[in-house]
């Protein structure tokens, strides 16, 4: 195989642009071969920014995946298109790194996992926080037994309020707050407790404080979810899309002999200003700023695994478990009911209040 992995990016909105620029400038073992998007303003960006670097620009994904020499693609299109684009690439033998979730339908992901076993192409889900150096360090400390047995995870993510109209249009096709954002915290929980950890029950509730259009599609802009696992451990999640100060993602893991906290103070740097307004620290503007380095590490790990024939760092079975939990929490948010799972980790047919 070549010394560099030839990669295309499907969808060049904010996420896709980040991946494209990382591949172009920061991942030595990857080469950005092509990109595609049906959106005129995204095509314009690519024509101005990427084409001068020799990157081919397409308006159609089917045309892009026929590019000679293309070995892998990053799927960064809208959530509702992830499964279609993933299948189109893998059926042609093209490796895929797909942004989470690949699909919001558990049965669809189960089917994809079975089909993928027969293909030469390999598939990885982009849970970028696993590649963040702080979360990786916390995971290593937990695995070393530093805090004894991890018992409870408390994780939150709050995004800055956006009233421009962009967010609400995105939210309509995102699958809901638990499937779109809290699924990251669910995945982190599995990485701390073990990817084979099985859910026992979950319950969610939420409210709408600013984005009242969400009533139309049964979502919330502030939500809380609690998950109980069969081994007795517990996870608590809070997510908001209405914060004023900026992006705030923090996690605590309580163990039998201690506790670990990550990002408890959401500061963009170590500068602190003291004055008449008190002590001020600037927060991260967005998730893209907080996980800037982690996106590069993720792409490096993906490229290395494909080029060197190594095991992919993210197992599809973990993504499936995370999706089951996220889907159940989203349904609990809408129904107000507690969702229960059997000891095999599969949903029970009946739920309780």
């Amino acid at each position: 195989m070549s010394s560099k992995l030839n990669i295309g990016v499907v969808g060049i909105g904010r996420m896709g642009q980040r991946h494209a620029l990382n591949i172009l400038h920061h991942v030595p073992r990857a080469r950005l071969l092509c990109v595609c998007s049906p959106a005129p303003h995204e095509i314009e960006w690519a024509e101005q920014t990427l084409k001068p670097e020799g990157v081919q620009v397409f308006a159609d994904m089917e045309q892009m995946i026929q590019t000679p020499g293309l070995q892998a693609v990053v799927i960064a299109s809208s959530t509702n298109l992830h499964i279609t684009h993933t299948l189109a690439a893998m059926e042609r033998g093209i490796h895929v790194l797909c942004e989470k979730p690949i699909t919001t339908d558990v049965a669809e992901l189960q089917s994809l996992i079975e089909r993928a076993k027969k293909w030469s192409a390999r598939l990885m889900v982009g849970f970028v926080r696993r590649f963040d150096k702080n979360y990786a360090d916390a995971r290593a400390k937990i695995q070393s037994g530093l805090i004894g047995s991890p018992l409870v995870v408390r994780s939150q993510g709050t995004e800055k309020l956006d009233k421009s109209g962009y967010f609400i249009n995105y939210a309509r096709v995102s699958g809901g707050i638990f499937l779109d954002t809290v699924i990251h915290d669910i995945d982190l929980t599995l990485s701390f407790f073990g990817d084979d950890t099985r859910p026992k029950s979950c319950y969610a509730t939420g409210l709408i404080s600013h984005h009242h259009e969400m009533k139309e599609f049964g979502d919330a802009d502030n939500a809380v979810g609690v998950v109980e696992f069969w081994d007795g451990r517990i996870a608590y999640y809070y997510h908001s899309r209405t914060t004023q100060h900026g992006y705030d993602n923090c996690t605590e893991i309580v163990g039998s002999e201690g506790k670990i906290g990550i990002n408890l103070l959401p500061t963009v740097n170590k500068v602190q200003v003291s004055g008449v307004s008190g002590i001020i620290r600037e927060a991260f503007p967005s998730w893209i700023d907080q996980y800037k380095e982690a996106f590069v590490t993720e792409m490096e790990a993906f490229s290395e695994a494909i080029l060197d024939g190594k095991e992919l760092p993210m197992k599809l079975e973990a993504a499936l478990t995370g999706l089951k939990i996220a889907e159940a929490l989203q349904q609990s948010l809408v129904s107000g009911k507690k969702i229960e799972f059997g000891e095999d980790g599969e949903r029970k047919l009946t739920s309780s209040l």
Side-chain angles (χ1 to χ4, degrees):
M1 185 169 287
S2 62
S3 59
K4 289 193 175 188
L5 187 67
N6 291 326
I7 304 179
V9 176
V10 181
I12 42 177
R14 193 178 185 194
M15 177 70 81
Q17 289 177 19
R18 171 62 58 188
H19 281 301
L21 292 173
N22 282 342
I23 296 166
L24 193 61
H25 299 298
H26 303 298
V27 185
R29 300 194 69 187
R31 178 187 294 110
L32 184 63
L33 199 63
C34 50
V35 298
C36 72
S37 171
H41 68 282
E42 293 178 8
I43 290 289
E44 182 181 2
W45 175 85
E47 294 277 356
Q48 294 176 357
T49 309
L50 305 179
K51 199 168 185 179
E53 302 287 342
V55 179
Q56 299 178 62
V57 180
F58 297 89
D60 179 72
M61 193 259 193
E62 289 295 333
Q63 288 184 329
M64 192 199 82
I65 60 174
Q66 297 177 39
T67 303
L70 182 64
Q71 297 167 293
V73 293
V74 177
I75 307 296
S77 50
S78 299
T79 297
N80 57 315
L81 297 174
H82 284 182
I83 187 70
T84 301
H85 290 159
T86 294
L87 287 169
M90 295 191 72
E91 287 172 350
R92 290 184 63 89
I94 297 171
H95 306 290
V96 173
L97 169 58
C98 183
E99 280 301 324
K100 59 75 213 165
I102 294 180
T103 172
T104 57
D105 185 287
V106 168
E108 199 168 44
L109 181 54
Q110 289 174 321
S111 175
L112 174 60
I113 290 174
E114 289 303 311
R115 295 176 68 183
K117 293 176 182 178
K118 304 174 184 178
W119 291 331
S120 60
R122 302 169 73 189
L123 171 63
M124 179 173 135
V125 188
F127 284 104
V128 70
R129 293 185 201 171
R130 287 204 184 207
F131 299 91
D132 174 74
K133 61 183 180 182
N134 298 304
Y135 280 107
D137 183 47
R139 188 162 54 249
K141 284 179 167 59
I142 290 169
Q143 291 171 350
S144 74
L146 186 63
I147 61 169
S149 176
L151 304 174
V152 177
V153 166
R154 181 191 73 82
S155 196
Q156 76 170 41
T158 66
E159 301 173 43
K160 197 166 186 178
L161 178 64
D162 172 21
K163 295 289 282 185
S164 69
Y166 168 81
F167 166 72
I168 199 66
N169 290 330
Y170 168 82
R172 290 180 191 278
V173 295
S174 71
I177 194 167
F178 287 99
L179 287 157
D180 181 49
T181 59
V182 181
I183 197 168
H184 275 296
D185 304 274
I186 296 167
D187 181 66
L188 284 175
T189 302
L190 296 177
S191 78
F192 297 138
F193 286 172
D195 285 336
D196 58 350
T197 303
R198 290 165 293 121
K200 182 179 181 181
S201 68
C202 66
Y203 171 73
T205 187
L207 56 85
I208 299 174
S209 62
H210 285 83
H211 299 290
H212 297 287
E213 303 94 326
M214 286 183 151
K215 292 179 182 177
E216 302 169 19
F217 46 95
D219 204 0
D221 58 18
N222 282 264
V224 169
V226 177
V227 182
E228 179 188 13
F229 297 91
W230 274 101
D231 56 16
R233 294 186 279 194
I234 299 168
Y236 164 88
Y237 309 119
Y238 165 62
H239 199 94
S240 170
R241 283 167 153 162
T242 61
T243 187
Q244 298 296 323
H245 64 274
Y247 182 70
D248 185 353
N249 170 224
C250 66
T251 304
E252 287 184 303
I253 306 97
V254 179
S256 58
E257 299 175 21
K259 181 176 76 171
I260 290 177
I262 307 106
N263 300 329
L264 298 186
L265 290 176
T267 55
V268 71
N269 54 38
K270 296 182 180 180
V271 175
Q272 177 176 295
V273 179
S274 300
V276 294
S277 299
I279 298 173
I280 300 172
R281 294 181 177 181
E282 293 183 7
F284 287 100
S286 71
W287 51 266
I288 247 187
D289 301 285
Q290 180 156 344
Y291 295 110
K292 181 178 179 181
E293 294 179 8
F295 279 107
V296 175
T297 304
E298 176 187 57
M299 191 59 63
E300 288 175 336
F302 175 71
S303 300
E304 180 180 314
I306 299 300
L307 289 170
D308 298 340
K310 294 181 178 180
E311 183 177 346
L312 287 167
M314 177 69 206
K315 295 181 179 179
L316 291 176
E317 288 75 16
L320 178 60
T321 300
L323 180 62
K324 289 177 181 178
I325 295 171
E327 181 190 61
L329 285 168
Q330 192 69 36
Q331 291 180 6
S332 177
L333 173 68
V334 175
S335 69
K337 294 183 178 180
K338 183 178 182 180
I339 307 294
E340 297 179 338
F341 296 81
E343 291 190 54
D344 58 357
E346 297 297 326
R347 284 270 296 274
K348 288 186 177 180
L349 295 179
T350 58
S351 301
S352 60
L353 291 175

